[in-house]
Amino acid sequence: MSDISVRPSRAVIDWHKAGWRTYLACIALSFFVMLEPAPTDLVFCIALGMMLLAPIQPVKLFGPFVTLGLILFLWFSVLSLFFVTDLFFAAYRAIVIEIYISLLFVLTAYFVKVSGDKAFRLILVMLFLGGLLTSLIGVLAYLDLIPQRQLFFRDDYLKRIRSTFKDPNVLGPYLVPSILAGIWIVLTSPKLRWMVGFATVLMIAALVITYSRGAWAHFIVSLSVFGCFMLVNRQTYFAAFVALIAVGCGGMLAAVYYSDALGAALGDSYFSRRLSFQSYDTKRFDLILRALFDMTGTPLGIGPYQSRVFYGWEPHNSFALLGLQNGLFALLGYVLICVGAIWRCATKVLAQEDGWFKYAFILSVLIGLMVVSQVVSSLHWRHLYVVLGLAFGDYKTNQFFEGRRIFS
């Protein structure tokens, strides 16, 4: 298996290693984005500069459709700036972010293409550590065990945690890949089972108290798809089957035994209200439908952030928002990138060659992300582009840990 550090000269080896390690630090810091620019963005720019100083290995990252998608997405997003009529600073900032996340996508794809399984493992470990830290802060704030707890909530009523993110609807989906990775490790790594299991339960608790319906749907969809793959994979089949039976039986027994208490507790709780139809949902879906119709009349877009000028509110649908603001061609490019990543993972899973289970993991997360993108704008989520980049790696094993050392 090839490694990130190549051999032409000592200087090249040092720059590649430094860029790779700095990139991993960027992924680890991706949990703290309350401030702009976030520390993770500054570290990524340093990593990108280091990689530009080292000769890039000649590898084929993407096929023609994904390459075309990336060009369309960036070119027509920049072109849409010509149609901006207000909020100029915010519009230009949005384009800078879209260029940045495209570079994050490309650099992630490069690392997992060059270093394969090792890069996959280390990126997921960094995401897991970030998810654990932000979950710990969020849960402690929810339990009123840290000072200035109001900083980690979205609302003044201290109901929905956002922890170290700007919004619970971003925090929740950010945790999903780490939770799935934690479940995978628990089922396959006996030595780490209890420690990782506790961390995974903590992240699930943080996911629940975000009270983000989109994040809940994302988790349920991704876990369901990944669970099916685990029941097919011979290394996780027995453990996944036993865990499924145990959780199912335990859940049914608890529901029967505590049915009266649960009914009374959930009858008028905030949890039950979040599960029900919200007063603003009608406006949200009407706005999405309006954006879908309006984008056909402005094929080159109306400009980033201009939906706030014309509508007073952004459509909470990534595809409708992108097509309306950046134009239909930018939307086509984004769709080609997403479909290309999903198609690559799906073909690898169907081929059932060595390494297919890692593509199954990525596919499970991507399917959930596409679902939540229908009701939440996910265009600027950093972890979305990291997961998209993971789809283009070359993986040879189905184990999360190939050796004894996590960081080897």
Side-chain angles (χ1 to χ4, degrees):
M1 179 175 64
S2 59
D3 196 2
I4 294 293
S5 52
V6 292
R7 301 182 182 278
S9 70
R10 183 66 184 173
V12 171
I13 292 174
D14 289 342
W15 280 119
H16 270 276
K17 283 185 176 180
W20 168 234
R21 290 168 180 170
T22 308
Y23 166 86
L24 288 176
C26 158
I27 300 300
L29 287 171
S30 62
F31 77 96
F32 185 80
V33 291
M34 296 177 72
L35 305 175
E36 293 289 350
T40 181
D41 301 333
L42 300 176
V43 174
F44 175 77
C45 291
I46 297 172
L48 184 64
M50 290 178 175
M51 292 306 301
L52 292 175
L53 292 173
I56 302 298
Q57 294 192 44
V59 294
K60 182 181 179 181
L61 291 183
F62 314 118
F65 289 104
V66 175
T67 303
L68 175 62
L70 195 57
I71 294 171
L72 289 174
F73 174 64
L74 289 173
W75 176 257
F76 284 96
S77 292
V78 172
L79 184 63
S80 68
L81 287 172
F82 287 100
F83 305 101
V84 174
T85 61
D86 203 348
L87 301 175
F88 290 94
F89 176 79
Y92 280 88
R93 176 177 169 272
I95 296 301
V96 170
I97 292 173
E98 283 156 19
I99 294 172
Y100 161 79
I101 56 181
S102 297
L103 291 171
L104 178 61
F105 163 62
V106 172
L107 194 56
T108 302
Y110 173 75
F111 279 133
V112 292
K113 174 69 73 171
V114 171
S115 200
D117 298 283
K118 177 182 178 180
F120 177 91
R121 178 179 73 252
L122 290 177
I123 290 171
L124 264 296
V125 168
M126 294 300 107
L127 282 175
F128 188 90
L129 292 176
L132 176 60
L133 284 172
T134 192
S135 297
L136 180 62
I137 293 170
V139 170
L140 289 176
Y142 192 80
L143 297 175
D144 197 10
L145 296 176
I146 56 176
Q148 299 295 319
R149 64 188 291 244
Q150 68 275 5
L151 296 175
F152 306 105
F153 285 83
R154 177 185 179 180
D155 51 358
D156 295 334
Y157 301 102
L158 304 185
K159 293 291 187 180
R160 301 181 62 188
I161 65 159
R162 63 175 184 175
S163 190
T164 53
F165 286 76
K166 290 184 177 181
D167 192 272
N169 290 327
V170 186
L171 168 62
Y174 172 82
L175 295 175
V176 172
S178 299
I179 294 172
L180 294 187
I183 293 171
W184 184 0
I185 296 169
V186 166
L187 294 178
T188 56
S189 302
K191 291 184 178 180
L192 298 172
R193 182 163 294 159
W194 293 107
M195 180 175 64
V196 174
F198 175 79
T200 304
V201 170
L202 182 67
M203 286 189 282
I204 293 174
L207 174 67
V208 171
I209 58 178
T210 62
Y211 291 102
S212 170
R213 294 172 296 167
W216 293 345
H218 175 12
F219 175 60
I220 292 170
V221 170
S222 293
L223 180 61
S224 300
V225 176
F226 191 51
C228 293
F229 290 133
M230 285 192 292
L231 291 173
V232 174
N233 182 18
R234 66 174 182 267
Q235 294 168 341
T236 56
Y237 167 74
F238 181 73
F241 181 76
V242 171
L244 182 65
I245 296 297
V247 171
C249 291
M252 287 189 292
L253 288 173
V256 171
Y257 186 80
Y258 294 105
S259 58
D260 293 338
L262 284 172
L266 295 177
D268 193 34
S269 66
Y270 185 70
F271 182 82
S272 64
R273 291 199 297 273
R274 286 296 300 167
L275 285 175
S276 61
F277 195 79
Q278 302 293 298
S279 58
Y280 53 80
D281 284 338
T282 300
K283 179 181 178 181
R284 169 182 291 184
F285 293 119
D286 287 344
L287 194 58
I288 292 172
L289 188 61
R290 179 182 172 186
L292 292 173
F293 279 105
D294 288 351
M295 73 172 66
T296 59
T298 54
L300 296 180
I302 60 175
Y305 272 85
Q306 299 310 289
S307 62
R308 297 189 180 187
V309 177
F310 296 108
Y311 293 174
W313 205 25
E314 285 188 348
H316 283 230
N317 178 297
S318 298
F319 301 96
L321 180 63
L322 182 64
L324 176 69
Q325 296 191 152
N326 294 31
L328 295 178
F329 294 102
L331 173 61
L332 175 61
Y334 181 73
V335 169
L336 287 175
I337 294 171
C338 295
V339 171
I342 291 172
W343 178 259
R344 175 174 167 79
C345 290
T347 54
K348 293 289 186 179
V349 170
L350 292 174
Q352 289 287 290
E353 297 175 351
D354 291 339
W356 73 268
F357 195 63
K358 284 175 177 155
Y359 294 103
F361 172 88
I362 300 165
L363 180 61
S364 303
V365 178
L366 282 177
I367 291 174
L369 281 168
M370 294 303 104
V371 170
V372 75
S373 294
Q374 307 306 313
V375 292
V376 179
S377 176
S378 60
L379 290 173
H380 294 169
W381 291 358
R382 296 164 183 83
H383 76 277
L384 166 60
Y385 295 87
V386 171
V387 176
L388 285 170
L390 289 175
F392 296 94
D394 285 334
Y395 309 123
K396 305 301 181 185
T397 67
N398 289 330
Q399 295 88 6
F400 192 94
F401 298 117
E402 290 85 37
R404 294 182 179 181
R405 295 177 61 189
I406 296 176
F407 298 101
S408 61

